């Protein structure tokens, strides 16, 4: 008997009667059985993320309990102080996010670990903020970010408020893997309806579980308000620009509208997408990177004669924006463009106000546009490149707070994640929405269109154009096939990309780069399975596996004398890299 079929039969004997029905419905579907039981759901540096279903390879209350027991064992081995400081738990609007949050709290409480549980849905940045505000030892966020409705996930945070480090994650994974029986994990009984928990404000839910009070929310919004840079411009023109906002049925609605109200910036919310709904009925995928996600917002903006639409994903750590071009048509900005505009605004206003520190620094990921480097350099600000994953930006904030080497000003990644301020150690779409709305007010007060702001950056520094594409590897062998592709790319000599000479080949798995003259340089970053090809004129392309799914991601960044030429060059480079991947 194959092992996955043995696991299936064992689960049948352990789950509830209702859950048995779900499993029996796929009993004769071998592909389904393999998907559910052949490969356990992987817990990595980004936590775990999977389709909501029964089985060792999916996200369900049993895989959540097992993962939580691994986290609990890690906390207990860290000492009594870690146990007492406890864990913050937050969750978004996805299906079963609340239930998985309660399962997590119940397992931690059984282990004697203090739990700070949010009373209702709250986004990633508020989880990160609460960890440090409450001096907790860590945090857990139940979310699958912007994935389709079938997914949910489980993110773990360290005591610094950033996602758990690779080193600590490895220890947690060992503890999780040591639990062979998913049904052996114990938990306390939580006797409270959801409506009762929502009504709680700093009260004790169970001996080891405290519901987070409103004072923590107030403290978060107070930190955000300190980051305002143009209150006078807001006062002058806010009522004129008619900002449209959509939370895409996610956890951003309350915090985004709250901070905009505090800033006296009116916004028009897309009514059909306001309420929390894990089925995300109005969008194919709740991802503000996708044009269709902001379609209803754009339609409302047209009705209101607005020129700006802001959208946040379900856990409100990513923000998308659509603005009008000079033809009056809405265009969706990519993450590189949004980040570049916000970066320039923050540095410009700080300089104007005389509060741009001499040791200021910006942090971005290795797959984020070099336009950011050029903007920062023009203000005398240092730029640091880190590995993909916002936790590495959070690590830089922690490092500089400790040694005083730099003052953190802004961090961003091309995948629509940005952070101003140090209140959070993960990307924050709430403060990003606040600052983008304020930026719109500032330029409106100068009678300058946002589209022209972006074009002026291109004219000054070059027409940077970026594109990314994911190539999926399906089936149970997807991960191994993806690894084989990376190994092939690593081993074959690639001297040019679409006619562009490769000036430097960077292999992050070896922490070294090979220059065109054959010399070798060390890469001062942790080892990871990423390949990057540096071309001339600040251009590059990069290939890396996804950290949570069997997908290979290709990134391309080029620039040209015009946007049209840059786009043509971009597609040529992308097509060439795709050919390398597929052959």
């Amino acid at each position: 008997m194959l092992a996955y079929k043995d696991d299936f039969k064992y689960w049948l004997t352990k789950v509830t009667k209702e859950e048995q029905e779900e499993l029996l419905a796929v009993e004769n579907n071998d592909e389904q059985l393999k998907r559910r039981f052949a490969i356990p759901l992987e817990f990595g540096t980004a936590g775990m993320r999977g389709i909501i279903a029964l089985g060792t390879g999916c996200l369900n209350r049993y895989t959540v309990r097992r993962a939580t027991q691994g986290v609990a064992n890690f906390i207990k081995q860290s000492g009594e102080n870690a146990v007492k400081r406890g864990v913050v738990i937050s969750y978004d609007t996805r299906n079963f996010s609340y239930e998985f949050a309660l399962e997590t709290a119940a397992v931690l409480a059984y282990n004697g670990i203090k739990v700070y549980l949010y009373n209702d849905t709250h986004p990633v940045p508020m989880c990160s903020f609460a960890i440090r505000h409450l001096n907790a030892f860590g945090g857990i966020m139940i979310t699958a970010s912007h994935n389709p409705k079938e997914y949910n996930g489980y993110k773990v945070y360290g005591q610094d408020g950033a996602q758990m480090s690779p080193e600590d994650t490895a220890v947690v994974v060992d503890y999780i893997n040591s639990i062979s029986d998913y049904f052996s994990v114990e938990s306390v009984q939580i006797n409270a309806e959801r409506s009762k928990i929502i009504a709680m404000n700093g009260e004790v839910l169970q001996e080891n579980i405290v519901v987070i009070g409103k004072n923590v929310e107030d403290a978060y919004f107070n930190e955000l308000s300190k980051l305002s840079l143009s209150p006078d411009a807001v006062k002058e023109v806010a009522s004129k620009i008619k900002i449209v906002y959509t939370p895409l049925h996610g956890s951003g609605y309350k915090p985004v509208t709250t901070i905009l109200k505090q800033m006296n910036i009116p916004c028009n919310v897309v009514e059909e997408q306001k309420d929390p709904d894990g089925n995300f009925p109005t969008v194919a995928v709740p991802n503000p990177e996708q044009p269709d996600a902001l379609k209803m917002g754009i339609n409302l903006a047209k009705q209101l004669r607005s020129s700006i639409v802001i959208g946040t994903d379900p856990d409100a750590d990513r923000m998308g924006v659509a603005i009008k071009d000079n033809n009056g048509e809405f265009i969706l900005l990519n993450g590189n463009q949004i980040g570049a505009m916000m970066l320039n605004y923050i540095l410009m206003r700080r300089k104007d106000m005389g509060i741009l520190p001499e040791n200021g620094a910006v942090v971005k990921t290795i797959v984020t546009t070099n336009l950011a480097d050029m903007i920062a350099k023009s203000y005398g600000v240092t730029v640091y490149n880190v590995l993909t994953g916002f936790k590495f930006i959070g690590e830089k904030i922690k490092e500089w707070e400790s040694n005083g080497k730099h003052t953190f000003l802004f961090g961003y990644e091309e995948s629509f994640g940005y952070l101003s301020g140090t209140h959070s150690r993960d990307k924050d779409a709430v403060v990003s929405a606040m600052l983008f709305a304020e930026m719109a007010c500032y330029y409106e007060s100068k009678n300058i269109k946002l589209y022209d702001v972006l074009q002026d950056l291109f004219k000054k520094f070059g027409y940077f154009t970026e594109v990314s594409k994911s190539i999926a590897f399906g089936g149970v062998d997807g991960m191994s096939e993806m690894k084989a592709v990376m190994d092939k790319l690593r081993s074959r000599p690639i001297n040019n990309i679409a006619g562009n000479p490769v000036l430097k080949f960077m292999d992050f798995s070896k922490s070294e780069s090979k220059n065109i003259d054959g010399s070798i340089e060390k890469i001062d970053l942790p080892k990871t399975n990423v390949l990057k090809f540096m071309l001339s004129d600040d251009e590059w392309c990069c290939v890396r596996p996804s950290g949570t799914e069997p997908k290979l991601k290709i990134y391309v960044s080029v620039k040209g004398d015009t946007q049209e030429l840059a786009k043509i060059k971009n597609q040529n480079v992308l097509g060439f890299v795709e050919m390398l991947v597929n052959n």
Side-chain angles (χ1 to χ4, degrees):
M1 178 66 71
L2 296 173
Y4 67 89
K5 292 189 175 180
D6 288 339
D7 287 343
F8 166 76
K9 291 197 171 187
Y10 180 67
W11 275 56
L12 269 178
T13 68
K14 292 291 186 178
V15 299
T16 66
K17 188 172 182 180
E18 183 180 358
E19 290 170 334
Q20 284 178 346
E21 293 177 4
E22 178 187 331
L23 289 177
L24 289 171
V26 298
E27 182 177 19
N28 298 316
N29 186 328
D30 196 56
E31 183 62 28
Q32 270 289 325
L33 293 184
K34 285 181 180 178
R35 287 183 181 276
R36 290 174 181 244
F37 290 98
I39 301 176
L41 189 62
E42 184 177 355
F43 193 104
T45 55
M48 61 182 185
R49 189 181 299 176
I51 290 174
I52 304 167
L54 290 172
T56 58
C58 304
L59 204 78
N60 52 70
R61 60 178 175 150
Y62 304 108
T63 52
V64 166
R65 287 176 184 173
R66 178 174 178 256
T68 305
Q69 187 59 55
V71 174
N73 291 341
F74 170 78
I75 294 171
K76 289 192 290 186
Q77 65 100 44
S78 301
E80 186 60 30
N81 182 52
V83 171
K84 288 180 179 178
R85 288 172 63 188
V87 175
V88 170
I89 299 177
S90 184
Y91 49 97
D92 68 6
T93 60
R94 286 185 172 273
N95 292 329
F96 295 99
S97 282
Y98 168 74
E99 289 81 1
F100 292 156
L102 251 59
E103 294 283 3
T104 301
V107 171
L108 292 173
Y110 182 87
N111 283 270
I113 296 167
K114 187 164 187 177
V115 173
Y116 297 97
L117 177 70
Y118 268 115
N119 66 333
D120 200 359
T121 56
H122 283 74
V124 157
M126 296 184 82
C127 177
S128 175
F129 171 80
I131 293 167
R132 293 171 58 251
H133 185 77
L134 296 169
N135 192 33
F137 187 71
I140 294 170
M141 179 77 197
I142 307 297
T143 178
S145 191
H146 54 291
N147 276 53
K149 64 182 180 181
E150 294 83 8
Y151 286 78
N152 212 328
Y154 184 106
K155 285 184 178 180
V156 183
Y157 289 79
Q159 58 187 313
D160 62 345
Q163 288 185 48
M164 184 173 275
S165 69
E167 296 78 17
D168 287 345
T169 298
V171 178
V172 170
V173 169
D174 285 343
Y175 278 123
I176 294 172
N177 291 340
S178 69
I179 305 170
S180 58
D181 187 352
Y182 288 70
F183 302 92
S184 65
V185 179
E186 301 283 355
S187 60
V188 301
Q189 188 73 29
I190 298 176
N191 297 311
E193 295 294 326
R194 185 170 187 179
S195 58
K196 181 182 177 183
I197 294 175
I198 289 175
M200 288 185 173
N201 183 19
E203 299 166 50
V204 175
L205 177 61
Q206 190 269 349
E207 182 184 357
N208 291 313
I209 304 175
V210 176
V211 176
I212 294 174
K214 187 176 181 297
N215 62 313
V216 177
E217 290 187 7
D218 293 341
Y220 170 80
F221 291 123
N222 182 55
E223 289 300 313
L224 264 57
S225 65
K226 295 176 184 177
L227 298 169
S228 170
L229 295 168
S230 304
D232 291 341
V234 169
K235 189 174 182 180
E236 180 186 346
V237 304
S239 61
K240 301 177 184 177
I241 59 175
K242 299 178 181 177
I243 290 169
V244 169
Y245 167 65
T246 173
L248 298 178
H249 306 286
S251 60
Y253 171 64
K254 288 182 180 178
V256 169
T257 55
T258 296
I259 191 61
L260 290 181
K261 185 176 181 180
Q262 285 188 15
M263 298 286 292
N264 293 313
I265 301 176
C267 75
N268 301 274
V269 179
V270 179
E271 190 67 26
E272 300 91 334
Q273 297 177 324
K274 180 184 75 173
D275 295 332
D277 190 333
N279 291 315
F280 310 112
T282 63
V283 290
V285 179
N287 183 356
E289 298 180 52
Q290 302 297 325
D292 285 350
L294 296 188
K295 188 175 181 179
M296 295 185 80
I298 290 171
N299 288 338
L300 178 60
K302 289 178 179 177
Q303 294 172 29
L304 297 174
R305 297 177 182 267
S306 170
S307 60
I308 176 172
V309 178
I310 296 174
T312 55
D313 68 344
D315 58 353
D317 62 351
R318 298 172 193 250
M319 176 189 73
V321 175
I323 61 173
K324 276 186 179 179
D325 64 15
N326 287 335
N327 296 318
E329 298 297 324
F330 275 98
I331 59 167
L332 187 73
L333 301 178
N334 66 36
N336 286 301
Q337 294 167 343
I338 296 169
M341 292 176 71
M342 291 179 68
L343 170 63
N344 184 69
Y345 169 71
I346 290 168
L347 299 185
M348 175 188 65
R349 292 298 295 136
R350 280 182 166 270
K351 183 179 180 180
D352 291 346
M353 298 164 69
I355 57 171
L356 184 63
E358 290 185 4
N359 68 343
V362 170
V363 191
K364 68 181 185 68
T365 66
I366 59 173
V367 294
T368 300
T369 179
N370 284 0
L371 176 58
D373 303 65
M374 302 184 77
I375 292 171
K377 185 179 179 180
S378 72
Y379 288 96
V381 171
T382 306
V383 175
Y384 283 81
N385 287 283
V386 296
L387 297 180
T388 306
F390 224 87
K391 59 179 163 285
F392 297 111
I393 295 176
E395 284 181 0
K396 282 296 180 186
I397 299 174
K398 180 181 178 182
E399 175 189 328
W400 296 335
E401 283 186 341
S402 173
N403 62 26
K405 182 178 179 180
H406 288 292
T407 298
F408 174 80
L409 297 175
F410 189 63
Y412 83 104
E413 55 187 7
E414 51 74 40
S415 55
F416 288 62
Y418 329 94
L419 176 64
S420 178
T422 60
H423 59 282
S424 173
R425 302 302 161 91
D426 207 340
K427 45 191 175 283
D428 185 348
V430 183
V431 73
S432 299
M434 179 197 90
L435 283 172
F436 204 96
E438 182 187 76
M439 178 174 69
C441 292
Y442 172 80
Y443 285 115
E444 178 70 21
S445 73
K446 305 291 183 183
N447 200 30
I448 300 173
K449 296 178 181 178
L450 286 175
Y451 182 77
D452 290 335
V453 173
L454 179 61
Q455 297 308 307
D456 286 344
L457 289 175
F458 286 150
K459 289 173 185 175
K460 184 175 182 179
F461 299 112
Y463 286 90
F464 282 82
T465 305
E466 301 82 26
V467 68
S468 62
K469 184 171 184 177
S470 294
I471 299 176
F473 292 80
V476 295
D477 298 323
M479 298 299 281
S480 59
E481 290 175 6
M482 187 168 63
K483 181 180 181 301
V485 169
M486 290 297 293
D487 290 342
K488 180 184 66 176
L489 288 175
R490 182 173 287 110
S491 62
R492 67 192 293 187
I494 301 172
N495 299 316
N496 80 85
I497 303 284
N500 302 286
V502 176
L503 303 184
K504 182 181 292 187
F505 171 60
M506 306 178 75
D507 186 347
F508 289 83
S509 70
K510 298 178 181 178
S511 291
E512 66 178 32
S513 62
K514 184 176 182 180
N515 295 315
I516 193 170
D517 62 4
S519 60
I520 303 293
E521 297 176 2
K522 296 299 293 181
I523 300 174
D524 189 23
L525 290 173
K527 292 182 178 181
T528 187
N529 191 14
V530 174
L531 301 175
K532 189 172 183 180
F533 303 87
M534 303 301 297
L535 312 175
S536 62
D537 203 21
D538 291 309
E539 299 178 346
W540 52 264
C541 56
C542 182
V543 183
R544 76 172 185 92
S546 167
T548 54
E549 304 168 88
K551 288 183 178 179
L552 204 62
K553 293 191 173 183
I554 301 172
Y555 304 83
V556 175
S557 178
V558 303
K559 70 175 182 177
D561 294 332
T562 66
Q563 280 184 302
E564 292 72 21
L565 290 174
K567 287 178 180 178
I568 293 170
K569 187 189 292 187
N570 202 312
Q571 290 305 312
N572 289 339
V573 173
L574 177 62
F576 191 92
V577 177
E578 282 189 86
M579 181 191 69
L580 291 175
V581 168
N582 293 322
N583 292 293

